[in-house]
Amino acid sequence: MDHFMENLPPMDLMRSEKMTFVQLIIPAESAHRAVSYLAELGLLQFRDLNDEKSPFQRTFVNQVKRCAEMSRKLRFLKDQISKAGLISSHSILQSDIFLENLEIHLAEHEHEIIEMNSNSEKLRQSYNELLEFKIVLQKACGFLVSSHGLAVSEERELEENVYSNGDYVETPFLFEQEIKPEPSNQSGLRFISGIICKSKALRFERMLFRATRGNMLFNQASADEQIVDPISTETVEKTVFVVFFSGEQARTKILKICDAFGANCYPVPEDISKQRQITREVSSRLADLEATLDAGIRHRNKALSSLGGQLPKWMDMVRREKAVYDTLNMLNFDVTKKCLVGEGWCPIFAKVQIQEALQRATFDSNSQVGIIFHSMDALESPPTYFRTNSFTSPYQEIVDAYGVARYQEANPAVYTTMTFPFLFAVMFGDWGHGICLLLGALVLIARERKLRTQRLGSFMEMLFGGRYVLLLMSLFSIYCGFIYNEFFSVPFHIFGASAYRCRDSSCRDAHTTGLVKYREPYPFGVDPSWRGSRSELPFLNSLKMKMSILFGVVHMNLGIILSYFNARFFGNSLDIRYQFVPQMIFLNSLFGYLSLLIVVKWCSGSQADLYHVMIYMFLSPFDNLGENQLLWGQRPLQVVLLLLAVIAVPWMLFPKPFILKKLHNERFQGRTYGVLNTSEVDLETEPDSARKHHEEFNFSEVFVHQMIHSIEFILGSVSNTASYLRLWALSLAHSELSTVFYEKVLLLAWGYDNLAIRFVGLVVFAFATAFILLMMETLSAFLHALRLHWVEFQNKFYHGDGYKFKPLSFASLIEDED
């Protein structure tokens, strides 16, 4: 047997790749190029030798800061391009740019864009002020004309300081103009005109009314044009207002309230000729500003477009450079400060490729000294690395979500690839629903190349990543649907005629008396005549419940068998003798025996009550079984199996801790000191190793751990077997829901001789099938299958306390950015 196992070909996924701990001694002049080449290769995980130092105490902190600053500038330019709505043209640079030149270029471009934005913002602000002034002039005119009889012509609120010696002159910012009253009769009617956001107008009016105690007249009108905010670039609806009042004190209060509400006040002359003159000049200036703004936007967009094609390459360049310097910060200088020393993990198969990359780095950097690369012994456990592809990767992710495999332990993903979609299908079995899932999976696979390059949402990204999981789940669902003979809950005579028929031609007693068997059983799956018969539910419940127990026992046995392969691989004979053997005996003495009885009952057609057999196996093992006997010699067999199960409990609990204690005492008997090291330096550099030899064996801790593990397995054998009954429960729920939607929605609507009712019934049935059965039920079955693998299967052998192999790789940097 051992010879046969040793000759089996190795499986890539069964055990993680063999790793080796390596040390690199790199001359300073070739360090940057060497790390870059290793990152392109992506097969070496560096260990941080400066873990005790903060990021600001490291050697290459200034270079990292420069790269971070360049990344910020590139993100700024990218945001500006996206805000402008420009599409980057993938232009190719004529020559590669050096990082120093790129830093200068980015600073120039950032300064140029910031200056353009500032000028554009100022111009937009001036444009908005003029536009508001024009709107106020147009709207306030009507209010002033209507109140002309109530006002004295020489009294007005504001001095038009846009006039000088009777002539109109332009001012840069209208909101900076002083609002000064002309000498007038203080008891006369005066006004203030301006514009405010429409959302604030009601609160503004109320505040004015309360401040003046109602001694004012408030007129308002909506602005015909929407004004663009220069900062947020959003359009804002505004309202023009004119407030008539009397007295200097009221004027002061109104101006303060206008300032608090962000209302802009503009002077409006009462003379109609002056109003027209100002309106013409404002319109002329608006046209000039609009032309200037358009020219500025075109110039800015042209500058951004020229950067758009180069931006992805620059971002990738800076990202790589930062990753290289971050890695160099993990290395240490040697005593001479001329070489950098690095340590890390790499797969054994990659050693040749790494050496070739280092030789190439030495040659390209014209270094006189080569890079030293050699393996070392390590105290810590190596990282776990599985080589996966697009098909096996999602299954590995499902396992890793529970916990990363310990180095070189058996990988559950090998078996999850088949068992996960199959257990899902047992709960989801319907070949109509399976075809729907299959079509969705085929669409994702057919558009794989296109979707891989697109930015997908979180839900679509999850679906696309698990497209091959969905494919297998749909295929197994179709298979189980044929077993259950369900197509949207409707049975079909696919594999021949039924083995049953009604007692008479009317078939009225099918639901009460039952059917009559007249020929050989249906060749494949459930006979379609069971649907709607008197014993449909008891038969299907019995079938699916027993089937769930069989699948559960097989699945748990597979987990225990994998624990044997783990123990055998690591050379742990104690785990085989005192863990694997008693676990197999205990599980199969009880639930393996139950599975045997189920198969025998199916094959023999016996009417034995398995509940009675299992209960009285514990309560009265020596009693006669009577009509519940399925096997010759069943009663003594039950007694033997029960005794084996009882013996297996102390077998699991006691021997292993005592044997471990004995082995420890024999190993260190008569030793007072640990193993001598070659020098005092070794003791300083490897304190963990020294402490390991002096560590005492804690028997109580080992015994308690073994006791917990044994109790967990014994109780878990019962609870885990019961947990597999969820296969029956979910399958029954899916079948019954599908039947309800078919009979109570589709058939009920089809019973009416009305096209509209039939159409509504069909739409309701389609939506219920899509959203409840194909989405919610799929998610439910997926989560339950996940639980069965994580808890019931993996806890038999899987430790899951390892850590992933994360090499320095430029490819992974791009994936993380995406």
Side-chain angles (χ1 to χ4, degrees):
M1 179 66 181
D2 290 343
H3 180 70
F4 172 75
M5 296 299 299
E6 288 171 1
N7 289 333
L8 283 176
M11 292 177 63
D12 286 340
L13 268 180
M14 185 62 184
R15 306 279 174 192
S16 60
E17 294 291 339
K18 291 183 179 179
M19 310 294 289
T20 180
F21 189 70
V22 296
Q23 185 183 56
L24 297 90
I25 301 175
I26 313 171
E29 63 271 13
S30 56
H32 184 281
R33 197 177 294 271
V35 173
S36 298
Y37 287 176
L38 291 174
E40 288 174 1
L41 189 62
L43 288 171
L44 180 63
Q45 174 180 325
F46 284 92
R47 191 172 74 167
D48 193 357
L49 301 179
N50 301 309
D51 197 23
E52 72 284 351
K53 293 183 180 179
S54 70
F56 300 101
Q57 295 175 324
R58 309 217 174 186
T59 309
F60 299 95
V61 62
N62 292 327
Q63 288 85 344
V64 172
K65 285 181 180 178
R66 287 172 60 191
C67 292
E69 180 64 17
M70 283 190 282
S71 296
R72 184 197 62 77
K73 292 174 182 176
L74 287 166
R75 286 195 302 271
F76 168 76
L77 294 174
K78 186 179 179 181
D79 290 342
Q80 292 297 312
I81 291 173
S82 62
K83 283 180 182 177
L86 301 174
I87 301 173
S88 348
S89 56
H90 295 282
S91 61
I92 301 173
L93 289 178
Q94 297 298 323
S95 59
D96 291 336
I97 188 169
F98 291 105
L99 200 68
E100 293 77 8
N101 297 335
L102 177 60
E103 190 174 12
I104 297 169
H105 284 327
L106 288 178
E108 292 173 354
H109 289 311
E110 185 192 29
H111 178 72
E112 183 184 5
I113 298 299
I114 289 175
E115 190 174 354
M116 287 181 186
N117 289 344
S118 177
N119 293 336
S120 177
E121 191 176 323
K122 289 177 182 178
L123 287 172
R124 174 59 66 180
Q125 192 172 356
S126 300
Y127 180 83
N128 286 350
E129 290 174 0
L130 286 171
L131 184 59
E132 288 178 353
F133 191 18
K134 180 182 175 183
I135 294 170
V136 170
L137 284 170
Q138 292 171 348
K139 294 293 181 181
C141 236
F143 301 141
L144 294 177
V145 171
S146 64
S147 62
H148 184 67
L150 301 175
V152 181
S153 60
E154 65 270 12
E155 291 180 353
R156 56 191 176 217
E157 162 57 24
L158 303 171
E159 176 189 6
E160 294 86 16
N161 59 349
V162 292
Y163 289 102
S164 178
N165 298 324
D167 296 326
Y168 179 79
V169 294
E170 295 182 352
T171 55
F173 296 106
L174 295 170
F175 69 89
E176 293 177 354
Q177 298 172 4
E178 283 191 16
I179 301 175
K180 297 179 180 178
E182 288 185 352
S184 61
N185 186 3
Q186 297 297 324
S187 63
L189 187 66
R190 314 169 74 181
F191 72 90
I192 290 178
S193 58
I195 193 166
I196 192 172
C197 289
K198 193 172 183 178
S199 59
K200 300 179 182 179
L202 183 60
R203 288 181 288 131
F204 178 63
E205 183 181 0
R206 286 178 181 173
M207 184 61 72
L208 288 175
F209 185 83
R210 290 172 183 170
T212 60
R213 299 184 180 180
N215 296 319
M216 63 99 189
L217 178 63
F218 186 84
N219 289 325
Q220 62 177 337
S222 295
D224 296 332
E225 300 181 44
Q226 291 185 337
I227 297 169
V228 178
D229 188 349
I231 299 174
S232 63
T233 66
E234 294 179 357
T235 55
V236 182
E237 293 185 9
K238 295 206 172 186
T239 299
V240 177
F241 66 89
V242 177
V243 185
F244 295 94
F245 61 93
S246 178
E248 183 65 24
Q249 191 175 4
R251 171 186 173 275
T252 305
K253 289 181 180 179
I254 292 170
L255 287 176
K256 286 182 178 178
I257 293 170
C258 289
D259 186 52
F261 277 83
N264 297 327
C265 297
Y266 295 97
V268 177
E270 291 184 16
D271 190 355
I272 295 176
S273 61
K274 287 184 179 180
Q275 289 177 4
R276 289 175 180 171
Q277 181 186 357
I278 292 174
T279 303
R280 284 195 300 271
E281 292 181 2
V282 167
S283 299
S284 172
R285 192 173 174 193
L286 275 173
D288 295 341
L289 275 176
E290 192 170 357
T292 307
L293 273 171
D294 290 342
I297 290 172
R298 285 196 302 271
H299 179 63
R300 177 174 169 273
N301 289 348
K302 185 178 179 182
L304 289 173
S305 297
S306 64
L307 294 174
Q310 301 168 353
L311 214 58
K313 183 174 182 179
W314 288 351
M315 292 182 77
D316 183 55
M317 180 180 174
V318 172
R319 197 184 304 120
R320 291 184 175 210
E321 198 71 16
K322 186 175 182 296
V324 169
Y325 282 116
D326 281 336
T327 305
L328 287 173
N329 275 332
M330 298 168 71
L331 276 56
N332 266 340
F333 274 102
D334 68 341
V335 182
T336 62
K337 300 291 183 181
K338 293 181 180 179
C339 293
L340 284 164
V341 179
E343 295 176 358
W345 294 96
C346 73
I348 288 180
F349 73 83
K351 287 181 70 175
V352 176
Q353 301 175 52
I354 292 173
Q355 286 174 338
E356 290 175 355
L358 294 176
Q359 289 172 2
R360 191 156 43 92
T362 304
F363 178 78
D364 291 346
S365 58
N366 297 320
S367 176
Q368 301 298 320
V369 182
I371 300 172
I372 299 173
F373 175 77
H374 62 93
S375 298
M376 295 173 60
D377 293 331
L379 298 173
E380 63 192 52
S381 176
T384 301
Y385 174 50
F386 294 104
R387 283 188 279 182
T388 58
N389 51 38
S390 57
F391 180 81
T392 57
S393 176
Y395 295 101
Q396 191 63 54
E397 290 296 326
I398 287 173
V399 172
D400 290 346
Y402 175 83
V404 179
R406 182 182 290 184
Y407 178 65
Q408 291 259 291
E409 78 169 320
N411 184 16
V414 177
Y415 306 95
T416 302
T417 307
M418 288 295 116
T419 58
F420 183 85
F422 177 71
L423 292 183
F424 167 87
V426 171
M427 295 179 274
F428 194 77
D430 186 303
W431 62 279
H433 298 152
I435 288 173
C436 295
L437 290 183
L438 178 63
L439 292 175
L442 291 177
V443 168
L444 291 174
I445 293 170
R447 303 182 64 188
E448 182 174 349
R449 290 186 179 178
K450 184 178 179 181
L451 292 173
R452 195 188 296 275
T453 58
Q454 294 179 357
R455 187 180 292 274
L456 306 173
S458 57
F459 179 73
M460 275 303 298
E461 188 175 357
M462 180 183 66
L463 273 184
F464 177 70
R467 58 195 179 279
Y468 291 107
V469 179
L470 192 63
L471 175 68
L472 286 189
M473 289 189 332
S474 61
L475 292 175
F476 278 113
S477 295
I478 293 172
Y479 169 75
C480 288
F482 283 130
I483 295 289
Y484 299 154
N485 203 345
E486 290 186 8
F487 178 82
F488 295 101
S489 81
V490 181
F492 283 89
H493 294 77
I494 303 174
F495 300 102
S498 171
Y500 299 88
R501 64 183 178 186
C502 298
R503 297 176 185 272
D504 55 23
S505 57
S506 63
C507 221
R508 282 177 295 192
D509 57 353
H511 295 280
T512 55
T513 311
L515 304 174
V516 178
K517 185 175 181 180
Y518 74 101
R519 56 180 294 172
E520 290 299 314
Y522 193 68
F524 186 83
V526 175
D527 195 306
S529 295
W530 283 106
R531 176 68 66 184
S533 66
R534 178 172 60 94
S535 53
E536 174 195 3
L537 203 56
F539 169 74
L540 291 178
N541 276 345
S542 175
L543 169 70
K544 292 181 179 179
M545 181 173 63
K546 292 181 175 67
M547 187 176 65
S548 300
I549 292 173
L550 289 176
F551 289 152
V553 171
V554 171
H555 204 210
M556 288 189 291
N557 271 294
L558 175 61
I560 298 173
I561 290 169
L562 287 176
S563 73
Y564 162 77
F565 285 107
N566 269 342
R568 186 178 177 278
F569 180 82
F570 292 113
N572 194 340
S573 59
L574 285 179
D575 281 350
I576 296 175
R577 290 196 296 267
Y578 304 109
Q579 193 164 300
F580 164 73
V581 175
Q583 284 180 359
M584 286 293 287
I585 290 174
F586 183 85
L587 182 67
N588 291 292
S589 294
L590 302 179
F591 302 104
Y593 173 62
L594 174 60
S595 302
L596 175 65
L597 293 181
I598 289 171
V599 174
V600 172
K601 183 179 177 180
W602 277 349
C603 295
S604 63
S606 171
Q607 298 298 316
D609 186 358
L610 298 186
Y611 295 109
H612 183 278
V613 173
M614 292 304 296
I615 290 171
Y616 282 92
M617 176 180 174
F618 295 93
L619 297 181
S620 304
F622 299 102
D623 287 0
N624 191 11
L625 294 172
E627 62 181 9
N628 290 322
Q629 183 163 341
L630 288 166
L631 301 168
W632 178 84
Q634 185 174 348
R635 187 174 64 177
L637 176 63
Q638 287 187 172
V639 173
V640 172
L641 291 177
L642 191 60
L643 286 173
L644 285 174
V646 172
I647 293 170
V649 175
W651 192 351
M652 271 188 283
L653 178 59
F654 294 109
K656 187 176 174 182
F658 287 100
I659 293 174
L660 286 174
K661 183 179 180 181
K662 181 184 176 184
L663 290 174
H664 182 270
N665 292 336
E666 289 177 354
R667 185 180 306 166
F668 295 101
Q669 188 175 11
R671 294 188 186 178
T672 309
Y673 302 100
V675 177
L676 291 175
N677 292 300
T678 54
S679 67
E680 293 180 1
V681 178
D682 292 336
L683 280 171
E684 292 175 0
T685 56
E686 295 184 356
D688 293 335
S689 177
R691 283 198 297 268
K692 187 176 178 182
H693 294 298
H694 293 286
E695 186 180 340
E696 293 184 2
F697 181 78
N698 192 336
F699 176 75
S700 60
E701 184 179 339
V702 173
F703 186 81
V704 169
H705 179 270
Q706 186 66 21
M707 182 173 64
I708 292 171
H709 184 78
S710 302
I711 294 172
E712 183 184 10
F713 178 81
I714 293 162
L715 298 179
S717 297
V718 180
S719 64
N720 292 350
T721 306
S723 182
Y724 278 93
L725 293 176
R726 71 184 68 234
L727 298 174
W728 158 49
L730 268 290
S731 175
L732 178 65
H734 184 83
S735 176
E736 292 301 312
L737 267 177
S738 186
T739 303
V740 167
F741 291 139
Y742 175 71
E743 293 181 354
K744 302 301 181 184
V745 176
L746 190 62
L747 290 186
L748 190 64
W750 228 251
Y752 291 91
D753 193 14
N754 187 313
L755 191 60
I757 294 176
R758 290 185 175 183
F759 178 74
V760 171
L762 184 62
V763 169
V764 172
F765 174 75
F767 271 89
T769 301
F771 290 101
I772 296 178
L773 294 175
L774 290 180
M775 291 183 67
M776 294 177 63
E777 282 287 307
T778 300
L779 180 61
S780 174
F782 182 92
L783 293 176
H784 282 283
L786 200 63
R787 144 84 198 217
L788 291 176
H789 281 79
W790 280 358
V791 179
E792 277 69 31
F793 173 56
Q794 291 180 189
N795 71 351
K796 303 292 184 295
F797 69 98
Y798 189 61
H799 292 95
D801 55 357
Y803 63 101
K804 269 189 177 182
F805 176 60
K806 295 180 179 178
L808 173 65
S809 172
F810 288 151
S812 63
L813 291 177
I814 297 170
E815 289 174 5
D816 292 342
E817 183 71 18
D818 293 340

